[in-house]
Amino acid sequence: MDYYYSTISPPCHSAILLAKKLGITLNLKKTNVHDPVERDALAKINPQHTIPTLVDDGHVVWESYAIVLYLVEKYATDDTLYPKDPKVRSVVNQRLFFDIGTLYKNIIANIGVLLKKEQPSDEAKQKLKQAIDLLEQFVSERSYAAADHLTVADLCLIGTVKSLSWMQFDLEPYPAIRAWIDRVAAEIPGYEEFRKEVEAATLAYIATRQYHTLQRGLNTFAADKNRPPSNRSCLLAVIDGSERAPVSHDIAATMDLYYHIRSPPCQSVAFLLKHLGLEVNHKTISVYDADDLETLKKVNPQHTIPTLVDNGHVVWESYAILIYLVEKYALDDSLYPKDPKERSVVNQRLFFDIGTLQKSMMAYFQLHIRKLPMTDEVVDKLKRALELLETFLQDRTYTAGEKLTIADFPLFVCASSLQWAKYDLAPFPNIVRWAARMETHIPDLEAMRKAADEGIRVLLASKGFQNAK
C-alpha cells in the first residue's frame, strides 16, 4: 500500500497510528502539495490532490477518516476498533464527525486568524473552548472517546489534541483529556518515537518559514485563561493539507428526530427517512429559540440539530445518523456497502461533503444573504468543489458508483440548495443529471422543499435580511 502524506500534517497521522496498531506496513511517500511537480503527480491518482491519499492494490482512497475506516474494515481481525453494533458504531461515527466538523473546524478558525498576524475574536475563542469542553466531557464519561476501549475515534482525535503542546498550549485545565491521551498513547506501538519525529519536523518547518509572529500570537492566545487551544489547525493552514432500499418495518415510531427542515444537515436525514419509509416523531427545534435550545440540551450535550433519539439511544451529527439508520434498519447493504473498497468511496464522499462542498457552499451563502460583494476566493472554492463533484459523477450514475448510497443524500442537499442562491449549475451537466435522478428517490420532496424555503425566509427576516433571496 502506498500512502502519500506529510510528516507535519495532522490529518495524515491517524492512518499511520492505525497501521502501527494493526501491525500493517504502509509504503510511506512524503508529498509536498505545494510543489507543482509533486502536486501534479498526486492529481493523477486523486482528482482532489489532497493528502493523505492511500493506494491499495490500485484502489484509491482519500480523506483521512475514510482511509482509517477502510483500513480497519479490511485489515482488522475483529471489530474492536470499529464496532459492528449499530449503537456503539454510531457513537464512534459521531466522534469522527465531531472532530472534523466542530473541534477541527474551530481550531482552524482561530489559528487561521493568527496566521494573519491578528488575534482571534472572543466569539472564535469561545467556540473553541466549547469544543474542547465537549471532548473533556466525552472522555470523562468513559475511558475513551467513544467506548470503554480504544476505537478509531481515539486515533483520529488524538492527532487534534496532542499537538497542543507544540505551541505551548496548556492542557492543565483538562484532566480527563490528559489522562485519555496517556491511555491512547500506551496502546499504540512506537507512539512516542512517532510523536518525536513529528514534533521535530514541525518545529523545523515553522523555523524555516519564520513564523515568529505566529509563535508570539499563539503564546498570547495560550495565556488567555478561557481558551482551550490547539496547534493542529496551524499546521493544516500551513500544509492544506433507483429502487427504494428495503427496510425493516418491524418497528413502531419510537424514534424522535429533533430538527428543522430549513437546515441542510437536517434535510439529508429527513430525505433518507422518507426514502426508507421510516416513521419518526418530528420535533421541530430552532437553535435560535432559548426554550427550544434548553429542550435540546437535555438530550444532546452539543445541542446541535439534527439529533436522533431511538428508543433512548441518542445520535447526533447528520452523517453519523445516516449511517446508523441504514445499518440498523435497512435490510441490505446497498445504501452503505459492507465491501471495504466500496464503503471507502462512500465515506470519502461524506467527508468531501462536510469538509469541502458544504463548507464552500456556506461561505457563498453568507455573502449572498448579506448582499455583500462576492469575493474571487469564495467563488473559486465553490467552483472547484463543484468541479470535483462533477468529476465524481463522470461515467457514474451516483456519486459513489452505480448504486444509490447515503453519500448521495447530503451531496444532493448541497447541490440543490445552490438554486436558492440562484447559482447556475448548467456548466455541470453530470450534477444536473444526477440531481434530477435523486429527486425520484425522495417521496414528498416538493412539500419538504417548500417548508424549507419558508423556514429560511422566516429566519432571514428575523435576522434583518429581508428579500435576501
Side-chain angles (χ1 to χ4, degrees), residues 3 22 28 31 35 51 65 85 101-102 133 156 159 215 219 231 233 269 365 390 461:
Y3 187 65
L22 294 177
L28 300 175
T31 302
D35 182 286
I51 52 174
Y65 305 90
D85 178 82
T102 300
D133 288 346
C156 293
Q215 180 70 60
N219 290 342
N231 125 44
S233 55
V269 173
F365 272 12
E390 180 78 359

Side-chain angles (χ1 to χ4, degrees), residues 30-240:
K30 289 187 178 180
T31 302
N32 179 1
V33 294
H34 295 301
D35 182 286
V37 175
E38 294 188 37
R39 185 181 178 91
D40 288 346
L42 184 61
K44 292 177 181 178
I45 57 174
N46 172 357
Q48 202 168 344
H49 44 75
T50 52
I51 52 174
T53 295
L54 179 78
V55 183
D56 182 13
D57 194 25
H59 178 62
V60 183
V61 191
W62 65 97
E63 298 284 356
S64 60
Y65 305 90
I67 292 172
V68 165
L69 296 182
Y70 171 74
L71 288 174
V72 76
E73 292 195 308
K74 183 169 183 180
Y75 293 106
T77 57
D78 59 37
D79 71 338
T80 304
L81 288 169
Y82 195 45
K84 292 180 180 177
D85 178 82
K87 288 187 176 181
V88 182
R89 179 170 286 198
S90 71
V91 180
V92 176
N93 289 332
Q94 185 278 318
R95 300 307 193 244
L96 293 176
F97 288 108
F98 163 78
D99 185 28
I100 188 174
T102 300
L103 182 58
Y104 178 93
K105 174 184 176 181
N106 284 297
I107 290 171
I108 290 176
N110 281 275
I111 303 300
V113 172
L114 291 171
L115 284 169
K116 298 176 182 178
K117 303 179 183 180
E118 301 172 1
Q119 285 298 307
S121 66
D122 290 341
E123 180 184 7
K125 289 189 285 187
Q126 182 61 25
K127 285 183 177 181
L128 183 52
K129 181 181 186 303
Q130 291 171 350
I132 297 290
D133 288 346
L134 278 167
L135 181 61
E136 177 78 0
Q137 179 177 336
F138 296 159
V139 296
S140 297
E141 295 170 346
R142 43 175 65 88
S143 301
Y144 294 86
D148 288 322
H149 58 81
L150 187 76
T151 70
V152 292
D154 300 289
L155 299 177
C156 293
L157 282 164
I158 196 171
T160 306
V161 178
K162 185 63 175 73
S163 55
L164 299 179
S165 61
W166 301 347
M167 294 298 176
Q168 302 179 8
F169 284 128
D170 183 16
L171 277 174
E172 186 64 29
Y174 301 96
I177 290 177
R178 288 187 284 109
W180 165 76
I181 289 173
D182 292 340
R183 283 193 293 273
V184 175
E187 293 208 36
I188 303 171
Y191 178 82
E192 286 307 317
E193 291 79 3
F194 173 72
R195 292 308 311 170
K196 289 177 182 177
E197 176 189 355
V198 170
E199 182 172 357
T202 302
L203 294 176
Y205 183 83
I206 291 176
T208 63
R209 296 293 176 171
Q210 298 182 334
Y211 285 129
H212 303 306
T213 55
L214 172 62
Q215 180 70 60
R216 288 197 298 272
L218 287 168
N219 290 342
T220 301
F221 192 34
D224 182 348
K225 289 190 286 188
N226 293 323
R227 65 66 282 192
S230 168
N231 125 44
R232 175 174 184 175
S233 55
C234 158
L235 302 177
L236 292 170
V238 171
I239 301 162
D240 281 298

Side-chain angles (χ1 to χ4, degrees), residues 10 78 81 88 102 156 181 246 250 254 350 362 422 424 461-462:
D78 59 37
L81 288 169
V88 182
T102 300
C156 293
I181 289 173
D250 188 23
T254 57
L350 292 174
M362 292 306 297
K422 301 185 185 302
D424 184 14
S462 71

